[in-house]
Amino acid sequence: GAGVSQSPSNKVTEKGKDVELRCDPISGHTALYWYRQSLGQGLEFLIYFQGNSAPDKSGLPSDRFSAERTGGSVSTLTIQRTQQEDSAVYLCASSSLLDRDEQFFGPGTRLTVL
Amino acid sequence: LAKTTQPISMDSYEGQEVNITCSHNNIATNDYITWYQQFPSQGPRFIIQGYKTKVTNEVASLFIPADRKSSTLSLPRVSLSDTAVYYCLVGPMNYGGATNKLIFGTGTLLAVQP
């Protein structure tokens, strides 16, 4: 079956521009995570959606970052006024209690801010 | 959430057994232990999960002592393709709300030499 997909796979933008990153989770998965991974570093948690509950935004690094999940499925991570330090790979994962909460990751979006 | 501590890196040779230990001194009663593997330029993928004693699958074994304050991932006869970052996560299975989530740490970089 289809796994988690993310788009675009690569994004190059200029400092100060806004970007939108998309995540399509596995159908039926109620939980969705966004992470950020800088080169050679571990995963940095950004935000967590679980069903209809209010999202856990505790990992968002600044108010320039926001995310939404429409209809409990597709999620969009938006970064406003991008900065060079935002350059990283942004990973999305989804999970389900029916799959022992195993997080299935997408291929990521590599963001480069010039 | 239980904090985990792992070695930053480990070296091994092809054909050897590799054991990676993770410390989680404040693990809670309803916490499970999960290990993920991440290859370069890919998202992490699930390896194994356990609660106590020993779990074995086609890829690895997970040893958990009675006090559950640590766990050891065992990879039998590693090959070059096992070179990756290995993450230990601890958290509850029964996600009941937006605050229940698993956090990835920095992981252990395993380098397998020929």
Side-chain angles (χ1 to χ4, degrees):
Chain A
V4 178
S5 61
Q6 293 185 244
S7 60
S9 55
N10 281 285
K11 177 71 176 179
V12 180
T13 190
E14 294 180 346
K15 177 181 174 181
K17 301 286 188 181
D18 298 350
V19 295
E20 283 190 354
L21 312 179
R22 176 187 170 105
C23 172
D24 284 85
I26 292 174
S27 178
H29 278 193
T30 57
L32 187 147
Y33 302 73
W34 280 100
Y35 296 91
R36 177 169 71 173
Q37 188 169 36
S38 300
L39 187 64
Q41 302 298 312
L43 277 74
E44 175 188 5
F45 165 77
L46 297 178
I47 189 169
Y48 167 67
F49 296 89
Q50 173 59 279
N52 295 320
S53 301
D56 182 345
K57 306 178 182 180
S58 60
L60 295 179
S62 77
D63 59 7
R64 297 187 294 105
F65 288 73
S66 63
E68 60 179 21
R69 189 179 184 190
T70 54
S73 181
V74 172
S75 178
T76 302
L77 177 69
T78 301
I79 308 174
Q80 296 178 310
R81 305 180 301 282
T82 52
Q83 304 294 314
Q84 288 184 332
E85 61 263 28
D86 298 334
S87 296
V89 175
Y90 289 81
L91 291 161
C92 173
S94 69
S95 69
S96 168
L97 281 175
L98 297 179
D99 284 329
R100 64 191 165 197
D101 283 324
E102 174 183 343
Q103 294 184 44
F104 292 83
F105 283 80
T109 294
R110 181 175 297 279
L111 175 66
T112 302
V113 182
L114 302 177
Chain B
L1 293 174
K3 179 180 178 179
T4 61
T5 303
Q6 306 174 233
I8 294 175
S9 64
M10 293 182 68
D11 293 320
S12 183
Y13 292 94
E14 282 192 294
Q16 289 188 332
E17 176 184 83
V18 171
N19 296 307
I20 306 174
T21 297
C22 177
S23 298
H24 27 82
N25 291 318
N26 58 339
I27 188 170
T29 302
N30 62 340
D31 284 344
Y32 282 71
I33 301 158
T34 310
W35 286 79
Y36 283 79
Q37 173 190 57
Q38 185 180 25
F39 296 115
S41 303
Q42 296 184 25
R45 67 174 188 177
F46 175 94
I47 301 177
I48 197 166
Q49 184 180 73
Y51 183 81
K52 62 179 178 181
T53 63
K54 176 184 175 182
V55 179
T56 298
N57 61 22
E58 65 278 6
V59 176
S61 294
L62 179 60
F63 297 91
I64 305 168
D67 65 6
R68 305 203 321 125
K69 293 184 181 298
S70 67
S71 59
T72 299
L73 174 73
S74 181
L75 305 172
R77 298 179 298 280
V78 295
S79 63
L80 295 176
S81 62
D82 291 317
T83 294
V85 177
Y86 292 82
Y87 297 94
C88 165
L89 283 73
V90 173
M93 279 279 284
N94 53 336
Y95 288 0
T99 58
N100 291 336
K101 60 186 181 291
L102 291 179
I103 304 295
F104 284 75
T106 53
T108 298
L109 173 59
L110 173 65
V112 180
Q113 310 288 342

